[in-house]
Amino acid sequence: MENTPHHMLQMVSILVLILCISSSVSTASLKVGFYSSTCPSAEAIVRSTVKKAISDNPGIAAGLIRMHFHDCFVRGCDGSVLLASTSGNPVAERDNSINNPSLRGFEVIEDVKTQIEAACPQTVSCADILAFAARDSALKVGGINYDVPSGRRDGLVSIGDEVPQNLPRPTLSGDELVTNFARKGLSVDEMVTLSGAHSIGVSHCSSFSKRLYSFSDTSTQDSSMDPSYAATLKTKCPAPPTTTDPTVALEPSTSIRLDNKYYEGLINHRGLLTSDQTLFSSQSTKEMVQSNAYNGASWAEKFAHAMVRMGSIEVLTGSDGEIRKHCSFVN
């Protein structure tokens, strides 16, 4: 009997943790086909515009998927990453150094919004447009298709300082990544699965050059990186101090194809960022990396599911927020 209060406290603590996590990710308030009667052409407009944009510039696919991720991890999936800085708010999320100049695809979202506003004024949120665009990017460059629950509303606030407080840094360890994603209600396997988005896109040298030139007090180069890969990277990324910050492909073998080659790269010690390679070197995630490397179809299915889960983080619905007329500014 003496232990009963302690056990009850444990149960309450666990219940509170579950409630906190489930409140971060909630698809219950979103609905597939949300605009089927109010703006039936919405998703088709997004798909055709995104498809053309990626045909013109394949790098846009990685940009739109990354933008959706950066939106959802800061204030939830509310389109806050799309808001421009103003005189009253000089540094919005998109102008924080983590996002500017590396985030790409704003003009695609604005193009879509202009077309949708002409068809269905003040009906479709910018947050939903971005979620649709990320899905259509995955379809175009990876053949990965999935239904996107919609009904998100647009947020009214965008604060640049909140970006580094919420987004995972490229130098994080495996345990730190697990904690970062858990705060958003995402599991370890979902974190590893979503990291596969790094099979496309590029990174600035400054995000990983320490692994090449000044890794530790005892070693200039990160020993977990394949030496021949490191040598190749050094030809593209000058040693600091440098006045330039070039970009290199996150996964060079299929840099414009969203696939599971990223995980093969990790097994071969060719992960570009610390936060990439740590997924293979950490015991808690190593087997997940191996599983994704050996079964591309299973990874693609999990990626679709994880994107839906990520797209449901802390969403605004109902009468919260607004439907912006322009994605860069509040009404």
Side-chain angles (χ1 to χ4, degrees), residues 117-257:
E117 282 298 301
C120 326
Q122 276 196 275
T123 302
V124 181
S125 69
C126 297
D128 276 343
I129 289 172
L130 184 50
F132 294 145
R135 183 268 312 275
D136 295 334
S137 296
L139 175 62
K140 174 68 173 169
V141 299
I144 300 173
N145 196 16
Y146 53 94
D147 290 329
V148 175
S150 49
R152 299 166 188 80
R153 303 269 290 178
D154 294 323
L156 305 173
V157 178
S158 182
I159 302 170
D161 286 346
E162 292 182 349
V163 176
Q165 295 168 14
N166 287 278
L167 284 176
R169 299 186 309 279
T171 54
L172 291 191
S173 68
D175 288 344
E176 289 170 329
L177 284 168
V178 169
T179 300
N180 180 276
F181 277 68
R183 278 198 216 106
K184 305 301 178 183
L186 297 171
S187 70
V188 179
D189 191 58
E190 285 168 332
M191 180 270 288
V192 175
T193 298
L194 289 168
S195 296
H198 280 184
S199 76
I200 55 175
V202 298
S203 171
H204 283 274
C205 292
S206 58
S207 294
F208 61 86
S209 60
K210 188 175 181 182
R211 299 185 70 199
L212 304 176
Y213 297 109
S214 56
F215 183 65
S216 68
D217 293 337
T218 56
S219 175
T220 57
Q221 193 167 295
D222 187 346
S223 60
S224 70
M225 182 180 282
D226 171 54
S228 64
Y229 183 44
T232 299
L233 291 173
K234 284 180 176 179
T235 66
K236 300 175 181 179
C237 298
T242 176
T243 56
T244 62
D245 194 9
T247 58
V248 298
L250 282 159
E251 201 294 295
S253 67
T254 56
S255 60
I256 57 172
R257 181 73 186 169

Side-chain angles (χ1 to χ4, degrees), residues 7-24 182-183 185:
H7 289 316
M8 287 180 68
L9 279 171
Q10 277 190 320
M11 289 176 67
V12 169
S13 297
I14 291 169
L15 181 60
V16 168
L17 179 62
I18 291 170
L19 287 171
C20 286
I21 289 176
S22 62
S23 67
S24 291
R183 278 198 216 106

